[in-house]
Amino acid sequence: YTDPVASPTGFPFKVLKLDDSLSVEKKYKERPRVCNLGYLRTPYLQESGKVGYRCASEPVDSWVKKGGAVQATEGRKCLCNGLMANAGLPQISPFKKMGEEGRYIEEALITAGDDINNCRKYMTEVDISEGKYEFPAKTVIDYLLGRFKEEYTAEANLYSNAGDAEDLAVRERLLAKASELNEKIVNVDQQLGSQRGPRLGT
């Protein structure tokens, strides 16, 4: 879903609803607010005339002391820490979650666009049956390369009779285009680890 207030920048942010993530309201409220990465901080003019930095996702008291409106902090989430946790690099907060002894370890906040359902095609039935909803990057790359191959092959088929053109100049242009497409197909096959690229139009 599109969360209109999650980002401290005010830009709408796509969030994937997952039980074990900060998309859950209860988990979000339990997280101790902190701005220790600061990638989305914005500059503001301090009373001293110097430039300071603040973030609507930082502790509310800190934000207000810097002249920010308390209303601007409502619903704001720390995208910096959430995205780092997504990448498997969760930061250890300087603060503790209420009721716990150890310092809080940042949790994920998965962002995904409207095509999230397409991720299903990259998952195996075995993994899904075991509750594993993940896939390696190579699976996506192979899928994209496969789509390139489909497009190149479809276009190359248009030149399958290029050698039959009566006009020599036209025939040479058509054959050159067919050769170019064949080279692209072979290149994709090599990236996919296959040498079975079709030779069309020659």
Side-chain angles (χ1 to χ4, degrees):
Y1 71 102
T2 301
D3 191 329
V5 297
S7 174
T9 65
F11 191 81
F13 187 74
K14 293 283 189 180
V15 177
L16 179 62
K17 288 186 177 180
L18 290 176
D19 291 340
D20 194 27
S21 76
L22 292 176
S23 64
V24 178
E25 186 71 11
K26 182 175 181 295
K27 294 180 75 67
Y28 156 68
K29 288 184 176 179
E30 290 177 345
R31 173 187 176 271
R33 294 175 73 113
V34 64
C35 181
N36 55 348
L37 294 179
Y39 301 136
L40 297 177
R41 293 183 302 170
T42 54
Y44 74 100
L45 188 63
Q46 299 176 331
E47 291 183 0
S48 63
K50 295 181 179 180
V51 175
Y53 292 89
R54 63 189 180 189
C55 175
S57 294
E58 68 183 317
V60 177
D61 290 345
S62 298
W63 169 262
V64 172
K65 286 179 181 178
K66 296 174 182 178
V70 67
Q71 293 86 350
T73 66
E74 295 176 2
R76 302 297 187 191
K77 298 177 174 64
C78 182
L79 304 191
C80 299
N81 274 302
L83 296 177
M84 289 292 283
N86 294 352
L89 299 170
Q91 304 296 293
I92 299 176
S93 174
F95 304 116
K96 299 177 182 178
K97 187 161 72 173
M98 188 174 295
E100 295 189 359
E101 292 297 324
R103 291 193 295 172
Y104 176 74
I105 298 178
E106 295 289 351
E107 298 177 85
L109 181 63
I110 306 296
T111 180
D114 295 331
D115 288 336
I116 181 62
N117 290 327
N118 287 334
C119 290
R120 174 66 175 74
K121 69 181 65 163
Y122 308 130
M123 303 175 189
T124 66
E125 294 295 337
V126 174
D127 284 343
I128 293 175
S129 66
E130 295 178 354
K132 299 177 182 177
Y133 300 101
E134 57 185 36
F135 47 87
K138 184 179 183 302
T139 302
V140 181
I141 293 173
D142 286 350
Y143 168 77
L144 294 175
L145 287 172
R147 292 297 300 273
F148 279 127
K149 182 175 178 178
E150 289 176 10
E151 292 181 11
Y152 295 151
T153 301
E155 188 176 356
N157 284 329
L158 299 176
Y159 297 88
S160 58
N161 297 318
D164 297 335
E166 295 182 2
D167 186 283
L168 178 61
V170 172
R171 182 165 66 247
E172 288 180 347
R173 286 200 299 272
L174 294 177
L175 288 174
K177 183 62 177 180
S179 178
E180 176 188 332
L181 290 167
N182 279 321
E183 289 180 6
K184 290 182 177 181
I185 294 170
V186 170
N187 183 50
V188 169
D189 276 329
Q190 290 175 342
Q191 293 182 69
L192 287 169
S194 169
Q195 301 296 326
R196 298 192 300 274
R199 306 296 292 178
L200 303 173
T202 56

